[in-house]
């Protein structure tokens, strides 16, 4: 991760290269484009703020939405220390963290070939509570900096009890895969001659104009670090850009 | 479900009322707004096409993104019969299906009060393969009609081998909860006096202009049933509207 000198380099961390392929992350549906390389997996992860984490408690699966962020091959997410997931994870639980982007609805001439355009990444590993104070404070700063360049130094500093009340979870990505579809309609050859409308309805998650807090002091401008969040831009594009800024140490 | 006469009414199905509360779906974080009523849970589910399904195979959790649709208290999703998830579910697996909408990024004056606006629903139940031919064909038609009003009758009919190659999963929602945050910045009282920009960055998943298939016959117009997908509209709004149209039997 060029420019990041805060965390010591870890074993097996390379910014390129592929994640190992196992029974867990092996892609089964060969007609969809799947990749195991870090570049593809990280591109999906870094373009999102929202992820879903699967874990089990006494055999019962849970799928919890949360905010994630990445440092190299390490994923972080967080929550209240009261949360069920986090209490479970104290023991060091197996988890699967998945990020998905919906990019378009694909309408074919037959029901069978209806599809969606999307990008997704599934990451497998063992989650652990981050309780080392240095790592935890660094992770919470990264949570701000990675999404909002330059923001950490503008804020009222965290109080010790706030750090305590926030649970940070970390997971080394042991295995991962990315899948995507970015294509037009794929109909059966004979069906193209049918007089049926077919096409793609693109969908995009965009940034709307910023809404200042109603109690904002009158002379406080929007910080320069938020300029990426320009109305109409794709959220994925902004988040990817801000992750790259963070990695370059520009945050 | 008014207007739907295709499926027989099922026990315990009411369009209103609440899902039972258990250790599984009980909300732990009381400061966020949680609800157990069908109206709230269905509103989150129906506004989305993409969900994430958590399940376990030999103790290992998986979080798989897929497309879901709803009929009353029953959720459906589907995939290739080659998929790992679907082979596992043949045995009747416990699953948690979660839908989340990210509505805004909340930037406070302290790191601790940074948050997001969102809507999410978690649904618990036992998934089963839908192998009854009548239910399966009906479910596949619903998959089209529920998202694209009036489209099923316009399409080239499904071939028997296509029905066979598609696996449909069904699950009665046994327990569910919905959570949301839709608010401005909630800072500590003393912090409002600080000269720090705070506010909300709203995000929205919108429909972009339709892209016709490059091989579309020249005289085929966009069907009226797709008029809801007007450029700039929120996808959640369109999907919710189309679900209501489907339930009214107008699809």
């Amino acid at each position: 991760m060029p420019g990041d000198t805060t965390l010591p380099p870890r074993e097996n961390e390379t910014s390129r290269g592929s994640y190992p392929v196992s029974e867990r992350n092996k892609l089964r549906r060969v007609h969809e484009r799947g990749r195991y390389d870090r570049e593809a997996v990280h591109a999906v992860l870094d373009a999102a703020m929202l992820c879903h984490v699967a874990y089990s408690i006494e055999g019962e699966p849970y799928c919890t939405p949360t905010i994630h962020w990445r440092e190299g091959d390490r994923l972080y997410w967080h929550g209240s220390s009261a949360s069920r997931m986090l209490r479970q994870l104290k023991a060091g639980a197996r988890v699967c963290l998945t990020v998905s982007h919906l990019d378009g609805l694909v309408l074919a001439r037959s029901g069978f070939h209806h599809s969606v355009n999307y990008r997704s990444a599934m990451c497998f590993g063992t989650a652990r509570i981050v309780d080392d104070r240095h790592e935890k404070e660094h992770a919470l700063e990264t949570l701000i900096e990675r999404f909002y360049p330059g923001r950490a130094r503008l804020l009222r500093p965290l109080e010790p009890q706030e750090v305590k009340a926030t649970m940070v979870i970390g997971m080394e990505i042991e295995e991962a895969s990315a899948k995507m579809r970015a294509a037009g309609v794929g109909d059966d050859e004979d069906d193209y001659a049918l007089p049926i409308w077919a096409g793609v309805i693109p969908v995009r998650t965009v940034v709307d104009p910023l809404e200042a807090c109603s109690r904002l002091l009158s002379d406080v401008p929007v910080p320069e670090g938020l300029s990426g969040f320009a109305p109409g831009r794709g959220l994925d594009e902004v988040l990817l850009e801000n992750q790259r800024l963070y990695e370059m140490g520009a945050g």
Side-chain angles (χ1 to χ4, degrees), chain A:
Chain A
M1 211 167 55
D4 182 356
T5 55
T6 315
L7 282 177
R10 272 162 281 125
E11 276 182 20
N12 304 320
E13 182 183 329
T14 56
S15 60
R16 301 272 162 164
S18 287
Y19 290 106
V21 179
S22 78
E23 278 307 299
R24 271 191 293 272
N25 65 327
K26 190 174 172 185
L27 295 159
R28 308 296 162 133
R29 302 182 59 189
V30 291
H31 62 284
E32 292 178 302
R33 278 187 281 166
R35 289 168 63 178
Y36 301 100
D37 57 291
R38 283 174 169 75
E39 193 179 352
V41 171
H42 294 176
V44 174
L45 295 173
D46 296 350
M49 183 179 250
L50 181 70
C51 71
H52 287 80
V53 181
Y55 56 99
S56 289
I57 301 178
E58 294 171 6
E60 183 78 17
Y62 292 84
C63 184
T64 298
T66 190
I67 304 303
H68 70 282
W69 66 106
R70 183 180 69 81
E71 294 235 36
D73 273 339
R74 193 178 288 170
L75 283 170
Y76 289 105
W77 62 99
H78 87 122
S80 151
S81 39
S83 94
R84 175 172 39 214
M85 169 172 72
L86 298 178
R87 278 182 288 126
Q88 169 70 9
L89 294 183
K90 278 192 181 178
R94 294 295 301 171
V95 300
C96 174
L97 186 151
T98 298
V99 165
S100 308
H101 304 268
L102 182 64
D103 294 326
L105 320 182
V106 181
L107 287 76
R109 293 161 183 85
S110 67
F112 189 68
H113 288 294
H114 277 63
S115 187
V116 291
N117 284 333
Y118 67 96
R119 291 159 286 158
S120 71
M122 292 174 74
C123 301
F124 298 88
T126 299
R128 66 186 167 83
I129 300 281
V130 175
D131 47 18
D132 174 77
R133 193 184 152 152
H134 173 73
E135 185 186 359
K136 188 173 180 180
E137 288 182 355
H138 173 75
L140 290 174
E141 188 179 309
T142 303
L143 165 57
I144 298 293
E145 279 299 302
R146 170 268 172 275
F147 291 114
Y148 312 118
R151 187 161 183 81
R153 67 173 176 272
L154 302 177
L155 299 176
R156 186 267 283 158
L158 282 174
E159 300 286 346
Q161 74 270 22
E162 291 178 331
V163 176
K164 209 168 167 183
T166 307
M167 203 71 99
V168 176
I169 310 294
M171 178 186 102
E172 302 294 323
I173 304 175
E174 293 172 14
E175 292 155 2
S177 64
K179 274 172 67 176
M180 63 182 303
R181 186 188 194 279
V185 177
D187 261 315
D188 289 340
E189 192 53 40
D190 289 350
D191 290 343
Y192 286 104
L194 297 171
I196 299 169
W197 191 88
V200 175
I201 304 176
V203 299
R204 211 158 46 98
T205 300
V206 297
V207 172
D208 272 351
L210 275 58
E211 298 170 355
C213 174
S214 60
R215 296 179 65 181
L216 189 70
L217 300 186
S218 59
D219 55 349
V220 179
V222 176
E224 202 178 328
L226 298 182
S227 59
F229 292 97
R233 284 191 81 191
L235 180 66
D236 54 353
E237 182 189 336
V238 181
L239 296 181
L240 199 57
E241 184 176 282
N242 289 353
Q243 173 77 11
R244 297 297 168 259
L245 286 172
Y246 174 71
E247 291 179 358
M248 289 189 303

